[in-house]
Amino acid sequence: MKKIGSLFILLVVFLSCNKENRLEQNIDKINTDITVERFDRLFANVEIEALSKLKQDYPFMFAKKYSDSFWIAQKKDSLQRELFLEVEKAFPDFEDVELEIESLFNHLKYYFPEFKLPRVITTTSMVDYRNKVILTDTIVLLSIDTYLGSQHKFYAGIQKYIASNLRKEQIVVDLSGAYAEKYIYQSPRKTLLDEMIYYGKVLYFNDLMIPFKSESERIGYTDEELQWAQTNEGYIWRYFVERELLYSTDSKLPNRFINPAPFTKFYLEEIDSESPGRLGQYMGWQIVRAYMENNDVTLKELLVNSSEAIFNNSKFKPRK
């Protein structure tokens, strides 16, 4: 009987992998083709007499309230010049990132046939890590000076838990997350559960749009942080339930469990320092995964369903 059970499990896994492989093959056939426009390089190297032509080609990159003399001074500024040099060192070409973006766009086109390819443009932002990706219907702006590597000297004054994701591997993850926010509809978030499910939707969106990235990369954890979350899933869930936090509207809860932080604030000395931040997001991710596994629901339906409907129908059980 044990052998039969094992063979059945292997067959299910095989069929599941086969189905996923066929899906990915179909998505690859969409074959979106983009060319990332290196505005950062164009601006760094433009001759003064050619500046007006660059402004014509990229009018949205030049605020009208500033004269040409302002942009020329910017270009010659020593700090700006150093920034350009460091970006050029980190990104002598953009081919590997471009391929990841194309794969993301293939997946977006598959799940959202109405999706139209935008222009993808790289720029610098004086390390404005709060606005790494700017998205409109027609343009994607990537501030690539915020992806120079977590140990880069420019990030010396930035908290480690933020700097850890200022690296090239996270560009497509941040871009996928920006599209998730564009496609998700959810009523104003009032409870901790609302916040958890919202970010669970974002992370499940990443599961489908960037399956070529690891789970830890999709949530912005190290492998060790993800392992900690998985190992302690049962404890985290018990903590939320026993303290009746899920439906609480306490405004302090997002800072404790949802927002970026060096660790999650359980207010328990023996566990806080070991935990990664954003464990509320992680738990929301697992709830949404359970909901999609146990219900015949499309991605588009998921993205507009209420947090309560998702939770109540998820049949979620934490790892033990």
Side-chain angles (χ1 to χ4, degrees), residues 150 160-161 164-165 167 170 214-230 274-278:
S150 57
K160 188 177 178 182
Y161 70 92
S164 64
N165 281 317
R167 51 197 178 90
Q170 293 300 119
S214 68
E215 285 199 7
S216 54
E217 286 173 325
R218 284 178 230 158
I219 191 173
Y221 278 174
T222 64
D223 290 340
E224 294 73 22
E225 287 172 332
L226 181 62
Q227 182 63 55
W228 193 98
Q230 291 171 338
E274 298 174 3
S275 67
R278 298 180 290 118

Side-chain angles (χ1 to χ4, degrees), residues 3-150:
K3 285 184 179 178
I4 293 171
S6 297
L7 284 171
F8 177 74
I9 291 169
L10 285 172
L11 180 62
V12 170
V13 170
F14 174 77
L15 291 174
S16 175
C17 289
N18 242 9
K19 185 178 177 183
E20 286 177 15
N21 287 338
R22 284 199 303 273
L23 173 62
E24 287 304 310
Q25 286 168 6
N26 289 335
I27 291 173
D28 284 343
K29 288 176 186 173
I30 295 171
N31 195 28
T32 56
D33 186 20
I34 63 163
T35 300
V36 173
E37 302 172 45
R38 292 294 301 271
F39 175 80
D40 60 292
R41 186 178 283 168
L42 292 172
F43 183 66
N45 297 325
V46 68
E47 300 292 339
I48 293 172
E49 57 272 18
L51 181 61
S52 59
K53 174 66 167 64
L54 188 62
K55 289 173 71 175
Q56 286 174 15
D57 293 339
Y58 295 89
F60 46 85
M61 301 300 290
F62 297 91
K64 289 183 180 178
K65 64 180 178 178
Y66 297 119
S67 65
D68 285 1
S69 60
F70 170 84
W71 300 113
I72 292 165
Q74 279 282 95
K75 194 175 123 54
K76 291 180 177 178
D77 177 75
S78 58
L79 184 57
Q80 190 73 56
R81 293 303 305 170
E82 185 180 5
L83 192 66
F84 290 145
L85 288 172
E86 293 300 310
V87 166
E88 191 62 31
K89 274 190 221 171
F91 298 98
D93 68 65
F94 215 68
E95 187 176 344
D96 51 347
V97 181
E98 191 172 282
L99 288 172
E100 289 191 339
I101 293 172
E102 285 181 356
S103 184
L104 165 62
F105 286 173
N106 287 344
H107 286 78
L108 283 167
K109 191 71 178 171
Y110 177 84
Y111 289 101
F112 303 92
E114 68 278 13
F115 170 71
K116 289 183 171 51
L117 287 180
R119 292 172 68 182
V120 181
I121 301 167
T122 61
T123 187
T124 58
S125 63
M126 297 301 286
V127 193
D128 181 6
Y129 62 82
R130 291 179 181 84
N131 293 290
K132 294 184 281 184
V133 175
I134 296 175
L135 193 66
T136 74
D137 288 339
T138 57
I139 292 172
V140 168
L141 290 181
L142 303 173
S143 296
I144 56 174
D145 56 333
T146 60
Y147 296 102
L148 299 178
S150 57

